[in-house]
Amino acid sequence: MFDGDEQWTYNEARSLSRGTAAALQKLGIQRGEPVLVWLPNASDIVRVHFGLCYMGGIFVPINLALRGGTLEHIIRNSGAKTIICHTHLLDRLAAVKLGSLERVIVFGGEAKGELPLAYLPSDVLTPDEGRFVEPSPPIQPWEPHGIFYTSGTTGPSKGVITPHVHTAVMGKCALRFFQEDDRFLMNLPYYHLGGALTPHAVLGFGASMALMKNFRTEEFWDEIRRTQSTCCFLLGAVSTFLMKQPPRADDADNPLRTAIQQPLPQYSVEFAKRFGVALYTQLDMTEMGPAIMSPLITDRQMPHGYCGRLENIWPTFEVRLVDENDCEVPDGEVGELAVRCDMPHVISPGYWAMPEATAKSWRNGWFHTGDALRRDAEGNYYFVDRTKDSIRRRGENISSAEVEEEVLKHVDIADAAAVGVVSKMGEQEVLVVVEPKRGKTIDPAELLEFLRPLMPHYMVPRYIRVMDKMPYTETHKVQKAMLRSDGVSAPGVWDREAHGIKVKRELIG
């Protein structure tokens, strides 16, 4: 089901996909060739993706929010010759270097412009199933169907190579509770693998899906009811946005039965009861599916950072928490999550055209996730931080996630991000960026006093920045790389030391 109540049966989806594959073949797209796709959530992006899957091309979707250097990086890194682009995005291409691009297929309007590219109208991709030529030899499970660029929250985006079996297995594991009568509301952008894996998963279970064009908090439950969706992802700040909506008498009167909530917030039990939804959580990423998954979250609030356990439903994963020398750390200590799988190609083979980054993450026979976790004696795993998001101050390692958890206890704060900024002392200082709730204001000095009894002295931020709206990715993650880049030179950054406020260690004895 798509916007405007467009619907496909399984047979219609197959016919449209094979017909689009034939059109791509006619354009000369080769097996193994990357094709940039810059389209909104609608039926066209699904059929283009599946068309490329059928004929062996590689689907390379682009974040609709991108422009400038980040856009240029993806165009250049992909090496694509063809971009399928919505007309409203063409002006952004005019402002960047176009790498290897030779032509643009324009959807949503007239195909003309001043770019040094051949312009083609969208009707060159009109489906024509009768002309489809089956690839020979047949497409294999280990061949890549996509390259998905990471959100770039910690640095330049890397293109994650995704084989067919990688995405199929990820979908089967992530939606492990799915049934034939379920309908998944795909409320993520399709350029995010969490969105693009949905049709793969749905096909595997014989179920159905609805594609949400744009996520809007105030329209979410209306869309759930309109599409009669029974399941969805709740990633990043989405559940926070929904919880902050005024309560309604019919909050629990909706068809949604199950949601995968990542990360699991402090109010997960309250959320489940308010909206009548069964919750699961898990730890996964674009490079791999969920090796660590939770059972059904019941009426007990799980501890902060809880991700679940090693659940080898199928296939079999091995996980380790390791130090900087790849030595396993004992239970209770924090280490980087490293993973491997007994089925080849379930974990991505690497980053597109980035051999050094690939070698760094896939070393010693394990994929190193960059996630810092700890494991308790019962085998439960808890997310602590991204390894690059940890802050080193005065000899102490600080979890940005733990700082943010305390900041969010302030009743007037809607969202918060903690990052490390350069210190004259040789390590880092803590900068907290906060977004007030609508209609509220934040006094940095008052916030500081609120935090002092909640944190050890070394965790209390030196710098506080108040923003009406923090920079988010399209998957509702705060773009910490941007906040770090702005640093303390951004307008309005408040420095407690400049105001004569010192926070010192409490001496005992």
Side-chain angles (χ1 to χ4, degrees):
M1 178 181 290
F2 302 97
D3 193 52
D5 292 329
E6 178 184 0
Q7 298 186 45
W8 297 346
T9 64
Y10 271 45
N11 188 57
E12 288 168 340
R14 181 178 185 273
S15 178
L16 286 167
S17 301
R18 289 165 60 88
T20 303
L24 291 162
Q25 289 174 329
K26 185 176 180 181
L27 288 171
I29 303 295
Q30 300 297 305
R31 185 173 185 161
E33 178 180 340
V35 177
L36 290 166
V37 181
W38 209 9
L39 296 175
N41 277 23
S43 58
D44 283 328
I45 195 170
V46 179
R47 72 176 179 89
V48 166
H49 181 196
F50 274 26
L52 286 165
C53 286
Y54 263 103
M55 53 75 58
I58 303 177
F59 174 73
V60 190
I62 302 177
N63 184 327
L64 295 179
L66 293 190
R67 59 178 74 236
T70 309
L71 173 62
E72 185 175 304
H73 161 71
I74 291 174
I75 293 172
R76 182 180 66 253
N77 180 255
S78 71
K81 298 178 182 179
T82 302
I83 182 169
I84 301 171
C85 182
H86 193 278
T87 186
H88 291 164
L89 300 168
L90 289 172
D91 60 334
R92 300 190 203 172
L93 293 177
V96 300
K97 295 178 181 178
L98 298 176
S100 301
L101 285 179
E102 297 175 357
R103 59 186 176 182
V104 55
I105 301 171
V106 182
F107 276 71
E110 196 171 358
K112 66 177 183 179
E114 299 179 358
L115 293 170
L117 300 173
Y119 281 75
L120 300 174
S122 60
D123 60 14
V124 300
L125 292 181
T126 299
D128 187 359
E129 186 179 7
R131 294 181 177 272
F132 176 60
V133 179
E134 294 281 358
S136 182
I139 303 299
Q140 299 300 312
W142 51 82
E143 293 185 60
H145 73 87
I147 301 169
F148 289 81
Y149 281 84
T150 59
S151 299
T153 55
T154 58
S157 296
K158 299 186 288 289
V160 179
I161 302 168
T162 56
H164 290 268
V165 68
H166 157 281
T167 307
V169 170
M170 179 182 284
K172 290 284 282 188
C173 291
L175 305 188
R176 52 201 175 276
F177 45 79
F178 224 45
Q179 304 292 328
E180 284 190 13
D181 64 344
D182 274 313
R183 173 167 294 163
F184 197 95
L185 179 67
M186 206 270 272
N187 56 318
L188 297 175
Y190 202 91
Y191 57 74
H192 184 279
L193 185 59
L197 71 76
T198 300
H200 292 79
V202 164
L203 289 170
F205 286 100
S208 64
M209 61 170 273
L211 182 62
M212 191 173 185
K213 189 169 185 179
N214 294 294
F215 174 83
R216 294 186 179 89
T217 304
E218 61 276 11
E219 297 176 3
F220 177 79
W221 292 111
D222 290 339
E223 193 70 2
I224 287 286
R225 294 180 177 97
R226 183 186 73 83
T227 59
Q228 289 297 294
S229 295
T230 62
C231 183
C232 71
F233 287 122
L234 297 173
L235 301 189
V238 170
S239 58
T240 302
F241 298 155
L242 295 174
M243 281 296 286
K244 291 183 184 297
Q245 291 290 293
R248 291 175 25 172
D250 64 346
D251 274 343
D253 183 17
N254 67 78
L256 194 67
R257 297 196 293 245
T258 315
I260 301 170
Q261 193 166 30
Q262 296 173 260
L264 198 65
Q266 291 179 311
Y267 49 78
S268 59
V269 172
E270 181 184 352
F271 183 95
K273 289 180 177 178
R274 174 177 170 182
F275 297 109
V277 180
L279 297 180
Y280 292 83
T281 193
Q282 59 196 33
L283 190 145
D284 58 28
M285 55 199 312
T286 308
E287 291 89 336
M288 64 167 208
I292 296 173
M293 301 178 280
S294 79
L296 181 67
I297 305 297
T298 57
D299 57 358
R300 182 170 72 90
Q301 180 63 50
M302 302 307 293
H304 175 70
Y306 173 74
C307 301
R309 303 170 58 87
L310 177 62
E311 297 286 356
N312 281 317
I313 302 172
W314 172 82
T316 299
F317 287 94
E318 293 179 72
V319 303
R320 303 172 70 213
L321 300 184
V322 299
D323 62 17
E324 63 272 18
N325 299 309
D326 271 3
C327 297
E328 194 161 4
V329 302
D331 287 350
E333 292 192 14
V334 176
E336 181 181 7
L337 177 67
V339 185
R340 63 185 181 187
C341 183
D342 68 347
M343 180 182 289
H345 317 291
V346 166
I347 296 175
S348 167
Y351 300 121
W352 184 262
M354 288 185 169
E356 292 183 3
T358 298
K360 184 176 180 180
S361 293
W362 281 260
R363 63 183 184 272
N364 296 332
W366 295 76
F367 168 61
H368 293 67
T369 64
D371 285 339
L373 279 77
R374 64 177 175 85
R375 180 181 55 232
D376 66 21
E378 287 72 44
N380 297 302
Y381 287 81
Y382 302 88
F383 177 83
V384 176
D385 215 336
R386 286 291 293 170
T387 54
K388 291 183 180 180
D389 284 347
S390 61
I391 302 166
R392 180 79 172 178
R393 180 179 186 270
R394 311 288 171 89
E396 299 282 358
N397 290 316
I398 301 170
S399 163
S400 65
E402 290 180 349
V403 176
E404 292 156 5
E405 180 184 9
E406 300 302 333
V407 175
L408 287 169
K409 291 178 181 177
H410 194 289
V411 295
D412 292 335
I413 291 177
D415 207 354
V419 297
V421 293
V422 176
S423 167
K424 293 180 180 178
M425 302 296 290
E427 290 186 332
Q428 294 177 305
E429 293 283 0
V430 179
L431 164 66
V432 164
V433 185
V434 299
E435 180 181 314
K437 292 180 181 177
R438 186 178 301 174
K440 301 294 183 179
T441 59
I442 301 297
D443 176 7
E446 185 274 330
L447 174 59
L448 182 75
E449 292 308 311
F450 171 82
L451 295 174
R452 289 178 72 162
L454 301 178
M455 298 176 168
H457 73 282
Y458 59 82
M459 193 182 289
V460 175
R462 173 175 172 177
Y463 301 102
I464 296 174
R465 179 183 178 188
V466 180
M467 299 182 71
D468 291 337
K469 189 75 172 177
M470 288 201 291
Y472 292 98
T473 68
E474 289 297 313
T475 53
H476 310 291
K477 296 177 183 177
V478 177
Q479 298 189 63
K480 288 190 174 181
M482 184 179 295
L483 299 180
R484 285 192 197 93
S485 178
D486 291 345
V488 298
S489 61
V493 173
W494 183 86
D495 177 2
R496 61 173 167 81
E497 293 196 3
H499 288 76
I501 303 173
K502 300 287 187 179
V503 179
K504 297 181 178 181
R505 181 191 304 271
E506 181 182 353
L507 300 178
I508 300 174

